[in-house]
Amino acid sequence: MSAPTTPRTELELDVLLARKEVLADGVLRLTLRHPEGEPLPPWEPGAHLDLVLRPDLVRQYSLCGDPADRSVLQVAVLREPGGRAGSRHVHEALADGDRLRIRGPRNHFPLVDAPRYLFIAGGIGITPIVPMIAAAQARGADWRLVYGGRSRGSMAFREELSERYGDRVGVFPQDETGLLDLDTLLGEPRAGTAVYCCGPEPLLAAVEQRCAAWPSGALHVERFSPKEGADDGEKVTFEVELAQSGVTITVPADYSILHAVEEAGITVLSSCQEGTCGTCETTVLEGVPDHRDSLLTEEEQAANDTMMICVSRCRGPKLVLDL
């Protein structure tokens, strides 16, 4: 077997937690700076960042600041009592002056050019939408934000967005107005309108259902958790040839490709291991993937030229990957 390799790398950087502040009930904003005051990595609206909270605890958070300000990076973190320890660590363990390691940024939720935008945000899903709105405004595009949350007090950026953009922003706290009226919002397809949605899975599923009749490519979503049924289906054993490493491995039915690759001594960057963050995205050279991620669009999955090896599998006996 060949020596362990790292087929794909990306920027890793130590940063300083300059400020930790409350944005809303259960929501903190972290402002990160370079320890030496140097410019931080460039990014565009829709990008997210890995925070390496501990060697065994890596979480992704959407960037919510100003891409033109290279002096800081900002993320907002919702405390999730039923989560996997990342938000608890941020809320309880981090303090101003701490050093953190970051990876990225990377962007699987880019803002496309469009004459009109409809932004739909649920709860902490507002975070990637904030810089998108600023970009749409700067482009002179027609846009509208529909923002739902549990209550006014839980809705980060609510006052800032309303004060800055006025009646383009619709705020709908569930305890006052009920669920968002998606039938009225999305009942009639509108050519030339890009729909961007981020929030909890029930909201995303409802928006996807109502946008089924819209023009192809009109809807853009970002998930914080796997979509329902994404990993359904039979799991069988198959082979994977790692083209760069010259190794062929067997992936048992109860293993992910990522697990099998790592056991073979090949280092691959990974993070969520749920098919939502894109860190382990790998080029497919031969074979047909069984896509089980919650990130790639239907068109991207149909192209079969890339896959998330933390969850996706193989439709057939063998895959050849660029690892």
Side-chain angles (χ1 to χ4, degrees):
M1 183 178 296
S2 61
T5 62
T6 304
R8 183 171 65 86
T9 61
E10 62 183 4
L11 177 67
E12 292 198 25
L13 182 69
D14 288 329
V15 296
L16 185 71
L17 175 53
R19 188 180 183 192
K20 175 180 170 181
E21 59 188 312
V22 176
L23 277 185
D25 296 343
V27 181
L28 294 175
R29 176 164 54 194
L30 307 184
T31 298
L32 309 173
R33 294 186 181 274
H34 193 285
E36 308 302 327
E38 297 179 11
L40 290 168
W43 61 281
E44 296 181 352
H48 66 261
L49 193 71
D50 284 358
L51 295 189
V52 184
L53 302 170
R54 298 193 308 256
D56 63 337
L57 187 62
V58 182
R59 294 292 183 267
Q60 301 77 43
Y61 300 106
S62 297
L63 289 161
C64 58
D66 178 3
D69 184 359
R70 298 281 301 280
S71 69
V72 298
L73 292 171
Q74 293 182 321
V75 298
V77 182
L78 170 68
R79 181 172 187 133
E80 300 180 87
R84 299 181 300 156
S87 68
R88 185 170 67 249
H89 183 94
V90 169
H91 278 251
E92 297 180 2
L94 293 184
D96 291 1
D98 285 352
R99 291 205 176 204
L100 294 171
R101 193 156 187 82
I102 62 171
R103 286 205 303 247
R106 70 181 72 87
N107 197 346
H108 289 277
F109 193 43
L111 185 67
V112 300
D113 286 326
R116 288 177 301 280
Y117 299 93
L118 174 59
F119 298 107
I120 303 173
I124 197 62
I126 191 64
T127 52
I129 301 296
V130 171
M132 289 185 175
I133 288 172
Q137 179 80 359
R139 294 175 186 178
D142 182 18
W143 64 269
R144 179 187 179 194
L145 168 65
V146 177
Y147 181 15
R150 297 189 314 276
S151 64
R152 288 183 184 273
S154 71
M155 299 172 70
F157 301 105
R158 171 181 57 84
E159 293 183 354
E160 173 186 324
L161 291 168
S162 295
E163 290 173 2
R164 184 173 181 182
Y165 300 114
D167 59 7
R168 288 192 180 215
V169 174
V171 174
F172 300 93
Q174 187 175 341
D175 61 353
E176 297 177 25
T177 63
L179 297 175
L180 296 179
D181 184 2
L182 298 179
D183 289 331
T184 299
L185 281 173
L186 302 169
E188 182 178 342
R190 296 188 290 280
T193 298
V195 180
Y196 276 79
C197 183
C198 187
E201 181 57 30
L203 172 64
L204 297 180
V207 168
E208 286 178 327
Q209 180 184 27
R210 287 161 177 81
C211 283
W214 281 58
S216 177
L219 176 62
H220 309 262
V221 302
E222 182 170 60
R223 286 180 155 83
F224 296 136
S225 58
K227 59 185 176 184
E228 185 176 355
D231 196 28
D232 289 352
E234 186 181 11
K235 294 183 179 179
V236 298
T237 300
F238 56 92
E239 288 191 339
V240 174
E241 180 183 337
L242 310 179
Q244 290 187 36
S245 306
V247 176
T248 297
I249 60 174
T250 298
V251 180
D254 58 347
Y255 269 42
S256 67
I257 298 175
L258 176 64
H259 187 178
V261 168
E262 290 179 335
E263 278 206 350
I266 311 301
T267 302
V268 179
L269 287 176
S270 67
S271 183
C272 74
Q273 300 192 21
E274 293 181 329
T276 59
C277 75
T279 308
C280 70
E281 185 172 9
T282 300
T283 299
V284 179
L285 300 178
E286 294 180 28
V288 181
D290 177 6
H291 294 287
R292 302 189 181 195
D293 66 274
S294 301
L295 184 64
L296 297 175
T297 65
E298 291 184 1
E299 292 79 8
E300 289 169 337
Q301 289 186 347
N304 288 326
D305 54 9
T306 186
M307 67 186 298
M308 307 303 161
I309 63 172
C310 63
V311 290
S312 295
R313 303 187 67 79
C314 178
R315 295 186 183 276
K318 184 177 180 179
L319 287 170
V320 181
L321 302 180
D322 190 20
L323 291 173

